[in-house]
Every structure is written in structure tokens, then in C-alpha cells.
Amino acid sequence: MSFFRNGPGRRMTLYALCAALALSLVSCGKNGGKEEEKLPEWTYIPEFVEPENAEDISWYETLLAGDDLYYYTSDWEGEKATTSLHRWSATDGSASEVKFALEEGENLNQWCVTEDGGVCAVAARWNYDEATQTSRSDYALVKYDAGGNQVFRQDITSLFTDEYAYVNGMAVDGEGRIYLCTDDQVLLFDAEGNHAGEVKLAGMQSYSAGFGAGKDGKVYLVVTSYGDEGRDTALSQVDFETKSLTGEHKGYPSGNSAGTIAQDENGGFLAFDSVSAYRYDPETEQKEKLFDWLDCDINGNYVRQIGILSDGRVAAIYEDWNSGDSGLVLLTRKKTSEVVRKQQIVLGAIYSNADLQDAAVKFNKSSDAYHVQIRYYMSDDSWSDTSYEDAISRLNNDITSGNCPDIIVLDGLNVELLAAKGVFEDLSPMLESSEVLDRSNMIEGVLDAYTMDGVLTAIPNTVGLQTVIGAKSKVGDTPGWTLEEMMALADANPDADLLYNSSRQSMLTACLQYNIDSFIDWDSGSCSFDGEEFQRLLEFVARFPDADEITWDADAPSEPELIQDGKVLLTAAYIYELDEMQLYLAMFGEDITAVGYPNPDGNNGCVLSANGCYAIASKSKVKDGAWAFIESSLSGEGENSDFGFPNNRSRLEQMVEDELNVEYIRDANGELVLDENGDPIPEGGSHGVGYGNWEYYYRIPTREEIDMILDLLEGAKPVSGGDTKILSIINEEAEAFFQGQKSVEDVADIIQSRINVYVNENR
Amino acid sequence: MQKRRRQRLQGMQAGENQVRQKRKQHGKTTRRARKIRISSGAFIAPSFLGVLLFFILPFLVVIYYSLVDNPISGNFVFFENYDSIIHNAAFMRAVKNTAVFSAVAVPLAVVLSLILAIVLEAKLPFRSQFRTFFLSPMMVPVASIVLIWQVLFHYNGAVNDFLAVFGADKIDWLKSEYSQVVVVILFLWKNLGYNMILFMAALASIPKDILEVARLESATPLQTFFYIKIRYLSSTLLFVTIMSLINSFKVFREVYLLTGDYPYDTIYMLQHFMNNKFKSIDYQALSAAAVLMCLVMIVIIGLLFLAENRFGKDVEG
């Protein structure tokens, strides 16, 4: 002790404390601004390869096994198919083929390859009994050798007691024993195809998320289960001897890897989700991210299977059902320091979606200078009640801490709030000077909807519309009405419902989403929710049933039937195609008006929902690159997978022209081919929609019907983000009145008090 | 004469030598003192740096945020934010509610806990069980407190059921003028035990001989309490008051869980205002409100220290 009291001891203690403090501060310090995205040690370089006869491949029916890609083709003669199983080696390009014949009427339900080059398959035949009008599928377990000769055939139909049973996976272990995975069990068969038992899964709270054989000759099952603690994904081995799942390993990546299993030479497993690929080590129950699909110029939503080749490369099968761009990609691992990297642009989004990845992949492939990487704020891996609020908090923290993404996807955000804080760059000057985009070619109403305080925050790629439609004889012929007019319509028709299956909650939202400002004076901060008008609204909404009381009844009349019987007055319309109006005309059977959601301003009450809304952060250091991405997403090059109407007059006009000028099918003599109703059949076929017993088949829309939609488009507005808080307060408090616990005056007073606070706080 | 001159010279030399020695000693002392100051400062440095890093610098950042238009652009706007929030009706409502709550709850917490401490100081049976009873709310997790309070004070809760037995109408405890009462009860329930323990410890440390002398001098219990005990308790009173004031702000946690971010206006507190401003990235308003609140707290605590100094100085060592 005296050592520490005296000079040398005290000095040493002092130095030790200073060193400890200095070391603790070493981790602090940013790069004077935005934190650099951490670079991975390895980069996977993609090589898109084309197997032999790639044009014949149905990529949905492919399989990776070892170094080989397998796919099958079928030649039909009547009801009998000769199936060819093709093999193509991803390492040396060699190819081979095995032909085998199924029985008449059979098709392949599941299949896998055996170690000796043969095929094991479940053949299914669908049988329909005219007398009883029932259908049934017969299943057979079949094995063929490498020469295509049948080794055995076993009828396994009796093993499927549930008529909806479906084989979603098949595997063969190292001893040739066969495993079939359904929703609730794994069926076991010996090497001769004899049924040897089954392994039951845990019931409705769990489902098979992956199944297959590993390189070690064992068969594995990935099970995702939902319990009190949330979702859990575990890898287990299917033990043939004990007829059970053994060796459970938790923490398996929960993206479902398209239901496949891929094991590497060291006993680890490759798994993937729509964003990344991982290596899972069952010994440590830890997963390690290998790469993001986006860094390999692949949209992870389209990846179907992944595997490791003998030369260490990763192979992935992808299938883009939108564009048809499908194939096989081989990924070679290289040190990141050896790879020339483009300038990174970070795109921040709350939710993940395939369209976003499509846009990023398209841009990354076309740009030599920039590479977009996506930062998702909500993880698909884990979800809780507060996931959305946590994601918003993380985004807000990034915005204010200097780690703001360069591009921000506006879905799910309170755009007005962020715009008021100056988070977004004004896109108007960029749009004016763009050589790719033309402002005059855009829909000005859509641009106005995203201009706040003079700042153009985003340019939507496509938009959809939500409105309310009623018969012209009931609602008049002018779009737009007030809350009083809507309530007057309901009062005048006491025996009819306003909307089909509308609950109190949905009616309250419908009545208020455009009417909140009629109860609020934002200038003075005063509210009138305790007034008679709002109380009358609550009493009106109280007539409707609670959402929990509405149950679907298969035998109940459909919405169109109720409308035509005069039992329902209005319908909520979601319009994303130019030919939608005819559906509602047919529903009502008379002239209609898109009267919209009630509002005090006299506008058409049509809600605008936008897709592909990207904003550039005002603090971004790569605004040029960010703008190049937006130009790429809006330029319409290639397929546009976004749903709805394009925010581009030329493309919209082309859509109109394509809708109106339809070519009909003609016979060899040039005569029109007519359908059973005597109507000509358009090329490309027609489509229809069914509501219970009511069906409708679309025809060519008229110009007037299309103009109705275009008029709605000009006047539509998005719902304000701030209003959702007010709506949630009203919904929360009004419940007590709807349940009969409090009077309408008391509830109105409480709503008035709470919203008054909100309004004054945010004024 | 020469002898006297020699003696004087010798005396002067001795004096000079003394001065020189004293100067030498003083120099040594000054150097030593400086060394001690440097090494003391170095030992304090880690704590000081921690306080600087986690308290002082963040406070300066808060002041910065209060002087700019928003955290993104950072344009300096002087005192516009202060002017804006002072004229904000929600902020003034929050200030009023917080002041009223603190003015009612803090004195009650101090006085009631002191009374409890005095009562429990007496040799009552089951004294330790009573002590445990009052301390146990401190150990209850927040989620449980919220659940208990909802069960009790919900519109369909136990308290209204009890009142219905006597024919009284239901009271909307959390969404009416009574909501402040509920919050005060919640605050007292949580904090009385802790304050009581502090007072009990302070009462136990009062010198027994002074109390005995007072008793011998025929002082009444009230005189003993006000003239002796209170003076000895002055520092504890200050501490308990300050802690109660701080804890009065912490009750926001339970109120937020019970009533959400926009409660009935009588229990809309300053922390609600600041929490909501944080969520909406309105850091400038949040910071301005925090700085104003800090200034008010400095004044209050300064007054408390002055009071303690006045009433307790004669009992300090």
C-alpha cells in the first residue's frame, strides 16, 4: 500500500489511468461527416453464364447438384410424356441427357438426382370423377437409372391422407434412401422405394423452410416455428433410423433460401434471403454474411437456389418472372482491395421490396461510375410491434448524425415533416437541366403533390388511385363531396349500407382522412372536435359494425350483387389500370361518378398512392450520382415493373393508345374470330374478375371511361403523414363511445383536449 | 563603537541569511505545491474528462442546437427558437402542468416522508415490516407499475368499481381533471419510501446529548423538532428536496406508458413536449426548452442552497 502512496507508485497509477482513458477514446471519431459504409473483406464477382440450350430451360424446374445444373424438358404425345433430364456442368461445360418415360397422364411433381446419375421422382396424375365431381391426385414414387430405365415404381397415394397435401421437397441420402417433405411430415422410403415410416413436424405453429441432402450424404430440414418468443429457425438432421429430427441447431438464417439446402465441404450451410447470402456454422450456431446480392448485380428476390462448386465458386439460379431475365450466375471470391470499386451511393428504405432492388440492379449494371447499395431500416429477420417505430428512429438518427443515406425512399415516411426540416434536396433545378427527363412530359398534379414549401422532394415513377364510386342517380354527377352530403346520403337510404363490409374503423378513416383540417385552425391552433359537427360524425360512424364483427361468409351475396340490389350505395375503388372503370359501370349497372372521399375543399377526394418515390438528401455528397439513379428509374428504359400509371405523359398516352387500338384475332381469311357471345377476341386474350357468383370479363374501354381516370389523376393527392397521428388519437378515444362506455360529449372533449395539444405543439 | 558596528553588521548578516533561507524554503514549498497541484490535476483528469465528454460538451451541443434553425442546415437564428417556444401554447401548457405538479408533489413527498420517518423512529411494533412496505414500490418494474395503475385507474378499473358500490359515477381518472391527482399519487407511492429512509438515517445521526439537554431544559417535542431536529436535518432536507424534484421529472416514464405521447392536457408535461420534439427531429425546440428548464432549475436549486445555508450553518462542523 505504501508503494501507491509514494511518488513512483502514484506516478505509475497516474500513467495507467491516463492510458486507460486514452484507449477508451480511441474508438471515437468519425470521418468528419458521413460514416463510410464498412467495406467487406471479400467481394464476389458475378459471371452470368449461358448453359447449352438455354432457350429451352424452364428455370423454375432447374436444380443445382454438385457442379451440375439439371433441368428437364418433356415431349408430349397425347397424354404421355417422354421426359429428358439434362445435365450441364458449370465447371467444364460438359452436358449429358437422360430420357425416361412417365405413365400416361403423369407429370413430375418433385424430382432429384441420385449419386449414380439416375433420377428419383414423384409422379402425379390428376383424376377427375365426373359422377361425384371430385378430383384426386395419384402419386407414385419412381426411380430411373442413368440409362433412363425404371428401377422401381411404388404407389404412394395412400400415404397422403390430406387432400391438400403437397410434396414440397425431395431428397436422397448417401445410402440411396428417399425422403419426401410435405407441410406436416417427412415420409421415409428405403432404397427400393418401400415406405419405412415418417417424421411428424411440430404442427401448425411451424413449417418447413428448407429441405435437402447435404454433401455429407445426410438429409436436413430447416423448420421455422412461431412461439411466445417470436420466430425461430432451426436446422435439424432427419434421422432415418430413429424416425426423428436430431441435432437441432438454432439461429439458422430465417430468409427461406427458396426452400433449398446447400452444404459446403466444411459442414457449413449456405443460406440466403432477398438481401444477402450467408454461411451458417452449425457447430457455433452463428451465421456470417458472405455478400449482398446487390453487390453482385443480382436482385435477391429472384434467386431460387444457391450452391458451392468444387472450385469454390458460388453458383446461383435466378428467375426474374417480370422481365424473363433468368439464368445461372457464378460468383468468384476476390479480395476487395484487389477490385476496382465504383463510388458508393447509399439508398435508405424502411421496407425491402423487389422493385427497389430491380431499380438498383438496373442502375448498377448500366453505370460505370456509381454503385447503389441499399440500407434497409426494417429487417425481415425479426419483427416486433415496435419494428416500424424503431426503423423510423434509426433513420432519424442517421439523418441528424451525418450518416444520412444519399437517396431516401419515401414509402412509410412522414414526408411533410422531413421536408420541413430541410432533409431533401430540391429536385426542380436538376429536373430542369436534365437531358434524360422532361418536366413538361410529367403529370403536373403528381409533381405538385410532392412539392412542399416550394421544394420538389420526389418524382414518383408510377401512381395508383383510390376513390369512392357511386351511382350518378344517388351521388350526382360531380366528383367531390362534403362529409355532410355523404351523411345525408346515408340518412336518405337507411336500409342500405354506405360501403360493403365497412367497419366503424374504416368509415372513420374514410370520413376523416381529407376532413381533419375542417376541425382544425392551424393558424390560431384552435380545434373544434368538441363541437356538434364532430359529435354528429361520431354518432354516424357508430352505426357501423366493429371490424371484429365482420366475418366472411362464402354464401353471402357478393358486393356487386348487393350494389345492384340497392343494399350497398358506394364502393371503394382501387384503380391501377386504364380499363378499370368499366368494372364499376357493370357493378352499378348505370352511370357512375367517382365522388371520392369526403373533403371540405371541393376537390375530387381521390387518394394518390405513389411508387418509386426517391428523394435526394440535402447533405449527400454524391448528388450527381443520386440524380443519375433517379433518372435511370424514371427513364423507362427496359421493363417497368412498377404497378400503376406512369408519371410520364408520353408513356401514359401510349398506354391509352394501346388500350383503345386493340388488334383482334382473325382467321386465315382475315375474318374476325368471335367468342361464345359473338364478340371479337382481342389478341393477347382477355381477363376477368369474379366476386362470388358475380363475374365480369373486361372489354376494350371507351375513351370516356379512360378520361374519367385521367381526370382523377390530375386532382389526386396523397394522404398527409401528420394526419395519421390525429386519426390514431380519434380512433383510440372513439372506441369507448362505440363500445357504449362513454357519452359522445365526453369522448369529444377528450379528443379535443389531446388533439389540441398535438396541434399547438406542431403549429 | 566599532564593537557595536560589528554586532550590527553581524545582526544584519544573520538577518539576511534568515531571509535567504526563508526564500529558499519558500521556493521549495512553492515548487512542491505546484508539483502537488499538477499530480492532483492529473489524477482528477480522467473524471474531469468524463464529465466534460458526457455532460459539459453535450450541454454545449444543446445550446448550439437551440440557436440554429434545424439540425440539418444549421443556420444560426439567434434566439428565435426561444421566442418561438415561449409563444407556443403547448410548451406553456407543459410548463404550467410541470410547475403545478412539482409544486404539489415535491413538498408532499418531503413532508409526508419526514412524518413517516418520525413515526417509524418511534419504537413501534412491526417497524421493519412497515419500512419494507414503503420501500417495496422502488423495486417494482415500470411495466408492472403501469399495469397496476391501469387496473386501478382505468375507466373500468378497480377504483371505479369500488366507487360504484357507493353509487358514485365513474370517473375517467386518466383523461380528466383528476389525472394530475393520479400522477401525484403515483409519484408519492414510488418515492415516499426512499425519502423516508434518508430522513430516518438523518434522524439517527442527530446527537443524543443535545436532545437530552433539550428535554432536561423542559423543551416540548415541537420545540425540539423545530429548533433542533430541523436544523440538523437541513442538509438532508435539501438533498431530499432536490432528489424529489429530479424524480418528479422521471415520473414521465410511467405517465408516457399509461397515456401515450399526447395525453389529456392536464398531464401533458415538459418531457412530453421534449420527447415529441425529439421524435419529430425538432431538435431546436427541444434544445431551447431544455436550456430554459436548466436555467429554472439552477435558480430553484440555488434558492434551496441559500435556504440550507441560512438554517443549517450553525450545525455544520
Side-chain angles (χ1 to χ4, degrees):
Chain A
M1 207 53 192
S2 61
F3 175 73
F4 291 101
R5 281 205 206 114
N6 297 330
R10 286 172 68 181
R11 256 184 241 119
M12 283 173 64
T13 310
L14 164 68
Y15 296 145
L17 284 171
C18 288
L21 185 69
L23 276 170
S24 70
L25 292 174
V26 157
S27 60
C28 295
K30 307 276 184 192
N31 291 326
K34 188 175 126 190
E35 185 182 321
E36 293 289 335
E37 297 290 299
K38 291 192 179 70
L39 291 177
E41 187 186 355
W42 300 98
T43 296
Y44 285 75
I45 309 297
E47 179 193 353
F48 295 88
V49 297
E50 204 163 286
E52 199 175 271
N53 299 324
E55 64 279 1
D56 296 334
I57 300 176
S58 165
W59 289 95
Y60 187 73
E61 302 290 353
T62 51
L63 182 72
L64 271 175
D67 285 355
D68 301 322
L69 172 73
Y70 290 87
Y71 63 96
Y72 74 86
T73 54
S74 297
D75 293 318
W76 288 89
E77 280 184 34
E79 291 287 315
K80 198 165 161 54
T82 302
T83 305
S84 297
L85 183 70
H86 304 265
R87 181 196 66 82
W88 182 82
S89 171
T91 45
D92 60 24
S94 62
S96 63
E97 186 181 331
V98 173
K99 279 189 193 301
F100 56 92
L102 296 172
E103 290 190 358
E104 195 164 321
E106 277 187 343
N107 58 67
L108 280 185
N109 180 263
Q110 284 288 337
W111 57 279
C112 64
V113 295
T114 58
E115 277 188 12
D116 57 4
V119 182
C120 226
V122 173
R125 181 190 293 114
W126 184 72
N127 301 303
Y128 181 69
D129 189 335
E130 293 267 1
T132 58
Q133 291 193 342
T134 54
S135 61
R136 195 196 68 195
S137 290
D138 291 338
Y139 296 97
L141 181 64
V142 198
K143 185 176 173 184
Y144 302 91
D145 64 18
N149 303 307
Q150 183 174 301
V151 176
F152 65 74
R153 169 178 279 268
Q154 301 278 8
D155 187 341
I156 58 173
T157 307
S158 59
L159 297 176
F160 298 95
T161 51
D162 182 352
E163 64 175 305
Y164 298 112
Y166 178 75
V167 178
N168 54 42
M170 182 174 190
V172 176
D173 67 11
E175 296 178 39
R177 297 178 295 200
I178 304 155
Y179 303 65
L180 297 183
C181 181
T182 67
D183 285 335
D184 59 352
Q185 61 181 347
V186 178
L187 297 167
L188 307 174
F189 303 86
D190 65 18
E192 282 75 42
N194 301 309
H195 181 224
E198 58 277 327
V199 176
K200 296 282 186 198
L201 298 184
M204 289 303 289
Q205 291 305 312
S206 62
Y207 66 92
S208 156
F211 182 77
K215 284 189 196 287
D216 57 6
K218 296 179 184 157
V219 172
Y220 294 91
L221 177 72
V222 176
V223 176
T224 294
S225 54
Y226 292 85
D228 293 333
E229 292 169 15
R231 184 173 65 182
D232 186 39
T233 304
L235 173 79
S236 303
Q237 185 198 332
V238 184
D239 193 319
F240 195 95
E241 305 301 338
T242 62
K243 314 281 185 283
S244 64
L245 298 178
T246 59
E248 188 188 58
H249 299 286
K250 290 189 184 291
Y252 195 83
S254 59
N256 98 327
S257 299
T260 57
I261 292 279
Q263 190 182 33
D264 64 21
E265 300 293 338
N266 301 318
F269 290 84
L270 262 64
F272 63 93
D273 56 25
S274 62
V275 176
S276 310
Y278 309 90
R279 182 182 182 275
Y280 173 77
D281 185 344
E283 298 300 321
T284 60
E285 294 188 349
Q286 297 292 322
K287 71 177 184 190
E288 172 204 352
K289 187 168 91 167
L290 296 178
F291 54 85
D292 288 332
W293 290 112
L294 208 52
D295 290 339
C296 306
D297 293 343
I298 298 168
N299 186 334
N301 290 281
Y302 304 144
V303 176
R304 288 201 54 248
Q305 194 185 352
I306 192 174
I308 285 261
L309 304 182
S310 57
D311 57 13
R313 289 182 295 174
V314 174
I317 299 173
Y318 65 96
E319 187 185 14
D320 182 348
W321 51 83
N322 282 320
S323 65
D325 179 24
S326 308
L328 178 70
V329 59
L330 304 179
L331 303 165
T332 308
R333 193 174 84 155
K334 278 194 173 157
K335 281 273 189 193
T336 302
S337 52
E338 297 168 10
V339 176
V340 175
R341 286 182 73 85
K342 304 179 200 172
Q343 189 162 17
Q344 301 294 306
I345 299 174
V346 177
L347 188 153
I350 298 291
Y351 312 107
S352 64
N353 73 77
D355 293 339
L356 186 56
Q357 291 210 45
D358 266 343
V361 167
K362 176 181 143 190
F363 177 76
N364 290 343
K365 281 182 173 173
S366 64
S367 173
D368 294 327
Y370 301 106
H371 179 270
V372 167
Q373 53 183 161
I374 303 178
R375 185 191 296 166
Y376 292 111
Y377 285 89
M378 216 152 90
S379 163
D380 289 337
D381 228 11
S382 60
W383 188 89
S384 69
D385 288 343
T386 59
S387 286
Y388 174 72
E389 285 79 15
D390 294 343
I392 295 292
S393 291
R394 277 196 291 275
L395 175 63
N396 287 347
N397 289 340
D398 278 357
I399 288 171
T400 52
S401 67
N403 194 31
C404 184
D406 299 297
I407 304 171
I408 302 173
V409 178
L410 299 185
D411 293 346
L413 300 182
N414 188 336
V415 181
E416 294 95 334
L417 173 75
L418 293 173
K421 296 286 175 283
V423 172
F424 305 126
E425 181 75 7
D426 186 1
L427 301 183
S428 294
M430 296 181 193
L431 184 57
E432 298 299 332
S433 58
S434 171
E435 292 172 2
V436 175
L437 302 174
D438 180 6
R439 184 173 185 137
S440 61
N441 201 23
M442 295 183 176
I443 300 173
E444 204 57 40
V446 173
L447 295 182
D448 285 344
Y450 283 87
T451 301
M452 283 134 203
D453 294 331
V455 171
L456 178 62
T457 55
I459 306 171
N461 192 5
T462 60
V463 296
L465 304 172
Q466 295 167 36
T467 186
V468 172
I469 291 179
K472 200 172 271 193
S473 57
K474 294 264 198 259
V475 301
D477 55 6
T478 312
W481 58 346
T482 63
L483 198 52
E484 288 71 30
E485 287 168 340
M486 191 187 76
M487 291 199 285
L489 176 69
D491 291 339
N493 298 275
D495 296 329
D497 289 334
L498 213 52
L499 285 163
Y500 176 69
N501 271 356
S502 49
S503 64
R504 285 179 207 138
Q505 291 81 2
S506 62
M507 274 312 299
L508 200 53
T509 303
C511 290
L512 282 175
Q513 64 184 357
Y514 277 140
N515 274 288
I516 285 180
D517 284 351
S518 62
F519 298 102
I520 299 175
D521 181 348
W522 286 93
D523 291 331
S524 64
S526 62
C527 307
S528 55
F529 289 97
D530 55 353
E532 272 185 29
E533 193 184 338
F534 185 74
Q535 289 179 26
R536 190 158 171 262
L537 170 65
L538 288 180
E539 284 165 343
F540 169 74
V541 170
R543 300 181 204 177
F544 295 87
D546 188 82
D548 292 336
E549 293 170 21
I550 298 172
T551 53
W552 183 75
D553 181 358
D555 297 326
S558 63
E559 182 183 5
E561 287 168 327
L562 290 170
I563 288 174
Q564 286 170 358
D565 288 344
K567 300 243 173 50
V568 169
L569 299 170
L570 307 168
T571 183
Y574 300 88
I575 302 173
Y576 291 88
E577 307 274 355
L578 285 171
D579 61 356
E580 281 295 313
M581 273 305 171
Q582 61 183 278
L583 171 67
Y584 301 105
L585 279 165
M587 259 192 212
F588 283 87
E590 56 176 289
D591 286 347
I592 56 174
T593 302
V595 70
Y597 292 93
N599 65 89
D601 306 324
N603 66 45
N604 66 13
C606 185
V607 177
L608 186 81
S609 61
N611 303 308
C613 262
Y614 308 114
I616 299 177
S618 57
K619 290 291 191 192
S620 169
K621 291 183 173 51
V622 275
K623 288 180 189 164
D624 288 342
W627 176 246
F629 172 78
I630 291 178
E631 279 181 327
S632 163
S633 71
L634 291 173
S635 61
E637 290 153 12
E639 290 292 326
N640 175 18
S641 60
D642 275 341
F643 206 36
F645 306 107
N647 179 20
N648 181 302
R649 289 193 189 280
S650 309
R651 278 170 35 206
L652 192 58
E653 279 162 17
Q654 186 61 50
M655 269 179 79
V656 171
E657 209 176 295
D658 291 343
E659 277 299 329
L660 294 173
N661 302 322
V662 177
E663 296 292 327
Y664 295 98
I665 295 177
R666 295 177 182 273
D667 60 20
N669 300 322
E671 298 293 326
L672 285 171
V673 176
L674 303 177
D675 62 14
E676 63 268 19
N677 298 321
D679 296 321
I681 304 171
E683 283 185 1
S686 64
H687 59 286
V689 65
Y691 291 81
N693 295 325
W694 190 87
E695 289 178 339
Y696 179 77
Y697 289 93
Y698 287 79
R699 52 166 169 72
I700 312 302
T702 64
R703 183 74 219 198
E704 290 72 27
E705 290 163 4
I706 291 177
D707 285 341
M708 276 180 80
I709 294 175
L710 297 179
D711 288 340
L712 288 177
L713 200 53
E714 287 293 340
K717 292 193 313 178
V719 176
S720 165
D723 289 351
T724 50
K725 185 65 198 172
I726 295 176
L727 272 174
S728 77
I729 291 173
I730 295 172
N731 270 306
E732 189 186 319
E733 296 302 336
E735 198 55 36
F737 167 63
F738 296 148
Q739 300 293 337
Q741 294 170 2
K742 294 183 191 173
S743 68
V744 69
E745 291 86 5
D746 289 342
V747 162
D749 278 340
I750 295 170
I751 291 172
Q752 166 77 3
S753 169
R754 292 186 63 188
I755 295 179
N756 208 27
V757 167
Y758 174 84
V759 166
N760 281 294
E761 190 187 274
N762 292 282
R763 200 157 59 89
Chain B
M1 197 160 161
Q2 277 187 346
K3 189 181 174 183
R4 265 204 289 256
R5 203 181 298 144
R6 210 181 304 122
Q7 276 177 349
R8 210 182 307 137
L9 268 174
Q10 278 175 353
M12 279 171 66
Q13 274 177 354
E16 276 176 14
N17 282 342
Q18 265 188 357
V19 167
R20 214 177 290 123
Q21 245 185 350
K22 272 194 180 153
R23 272 196 194 138
K24 206 174 166 185
Q25 258 186 351
H26 176 69
K28 273 190 187 168
T29 310
T30 308
R31 264 202 311 278
R32 192 159 175 269
R34 202 180 315 128
K35 263 181 136 179
I36 288 172
R37 267 204 299 276
I38 291 170
S39 66
S40 304
F43 273 106
I44 293 170
S47 297
F48 176 72
L49 283 173
V51 168
L52 185 71
L53 198 62
F54 295 108
F55 286 95
I56 298 174
L57 284 178
F59 189 68
L60 294 176
V61 170
V62 166
I63 294 176
Y64 162 74
Y65 274 139
S66 72
L67 299 173
V68 298
D69 60 348
N70 69 64
I72 315 296
S73 51
N75 298 318
F76 191 61
V77 292
F78 285 97
F79 296 112
E80 262 181 43
N81 293 320
Y82 293 93
D83 182 59
S84 162
I85 64 162
I86 286 169
H87 290 100
N88 184 303
F91 174 74
M92 296 314 290
R93 180 82 206 186
V95 167
K96 181 184 161 217
N97 288 341
T98 307
V100 165
F101 173 76
S102 298
V104 169
V106 170
L108 272 178
V110 173
V111 168
L112 288 176
S113 58
L114 180 57
I115 292 171
L116 277 174
I118 292 169
V119 166
L120 287 179
E121 198 198 11
K123 299 287 185 279
L124 294 174
F126 305 110
R127 201 166 60 131
S128 64
Q129 283 80 1
F130 274 122
R131 206 164 44 215
T132 308
F133 173 76
F134 283 108
L135 274 178
S136 50
M138 287 177 60
M139 296 177 282
V140 179
V142 172
S144 305
I145 292 173
V146 168
L147 195 62
I148 292 166
W149 243 247
Q150 274 178 338
V151 168
L152 288 174
F153 289 102
H154 191 267
Y155 190 70
N156 301 314
V159 173
N160 275 342
D161 285 346
F162 179 72
L163 290 175
V165 169
F166 301 100
D169 287 334
K170 281 187 179 182
I171 297 174
D172 203 348
W173 292 101
L174 293 170
K175 292 173 187 175
S176 68
E177 304 295 324
Y178 292 97
S179 50
Q180 279 249 349
V181 173
V182 172
V183 178
V184 169
I185 295 173
L186 171 63
F187 170 73
L188 291 175
W189 179 74
K190 270 196 75 178
N191 292 282
L192 274 183
Y194 177 68
N195 295 348
M196 179 192 74
I197 290 295
L198 292 173
F199 279 129
M200 285 180 72
L203 284 169
S205 67
I206 297 174
K208 298 282 183 284
D209 48 355
I210 295 189
L211 295 173
E212 203 175 320
V213 165
R215 202 179 68 246
L216 289 171
E217 296 290 331
S218 308
T220 62
L222 268 179
Q223 283 174 321
T224 308
F225 178 77
F226 281 107
Y227 291 112
I228 299 175
K229 288 188 178 177
I230 283 288
R231 286 185 181 253
Y232 273 94
L233 287 176
S234 59
S235 56
T236 307
L237 268 169
L238 170 71
F239 178 75
V240 167
T241 305
I242 293 174
M243 290 306 297
S244 297
L245 190 61
I246 293 169
N247 288 334
S248 73
F249 294 113
K250 288 185 188 172
V251 80
F252 160 76
R253 190 173 47 183
E254 285 83 4
V255 174
Y256 177 79
L257 289 172
L258 275 171
T259 57
D261 42 10
Y262 291 99
Y264 196 76
D265 63 354
T266 51
I267 50 171
Y268 176 72
M269 307 289 204
L270 263 178
Q271 292 89 335
H272 283 101
F273 178 86
M274 291 198 267
N275 195 55
N276 294 336
K277 286 299 179 186
F278 177 77
K279 276 188 187 176
S280 57
I281 329 180
D282 203 346
Y283 291 2
Q284 63 278 13
L286 161 63
S287 302
V291 169
L292 287 178
M293 188 169 144
C294 172
L295 291 173
V296 169
M297 291 294 286
I298 289 173
V299 169
I300 293 174
I301 292 174
L303 288 172
L304 287 170
F305 268 105
L306 281 173
E308 192 273 337
N309 210 33
R310 163 114 168 60
F311 290 105
K313 65 177 175 199
D314 49 354
V315 300
E316 285 169 14

